[in-house]
Amino acid sequence: MRRLAAALLVMTAFASLAGCAQDFDRGPDGQVTDKVKDGKKFYLVVKPAKGGEEKKFRVSKYDYHDCNRGSKYPKCVDD
């Protein structure tokens, strides 16, 4: 009975951690032209590959650190 309770506790802990993942909208495919940090919020500025104006959008801190200026988005996130 104790093993069952311990297993349920572990499963509940993993389920609660999975719900904390950040899920932001994906930006346009293109080249990263700038990175902006505003407090605990992270943004990338991307010039779309198909032309148009640069777009600033929020990303996770991991994506922010993975993408450098000049890199191709979203390839820098997927690598």
Side-chain angles (χ1 to χ4, degrees):
M1 190 67 165
R2 288 183 185 183
R3 287 185 185 179
L4 178 61
L8 288 174
L9 181 63
V10 169
M11 288 175 41
T12 304
F14 281 122
S16 67
L17 288 175
C20 295
Q22 294 176 333
D23 188 24
F24 300 108
D25 291 335
R26 182 177 155 181
D29 293 359
Q31 184 177 15
V32 177
T33 58
D34 200 9
K35 296 167 63 169
V36 180
K37 183 178 175 190
D38 182 18
K40 291 188 177 184
K41 295 178 183 176
F42 300 91
Y43 299 90
L44 292 178
V45 179
V46 171
K47 181 175 181 182
K50 296 182 179 180
E53 294 183 23
E54 292 180 332
K55 182 170 181 181
K56 177 181 170 183
F57 55 96
R58 190 168 175 198
V59 294
S60 71
K61 69 178 179 180
Y62 304 107
D63 292 348
Y64 177 85
H65 291 295
D66 286 345
C67 294
N68 297 312
R69 289 174 186 86
S71 62
K72 295 189 185 279
Y73 180 86
K75 186 174 181 346
C76 57
V77 175
D78 296 335
D79 286 345

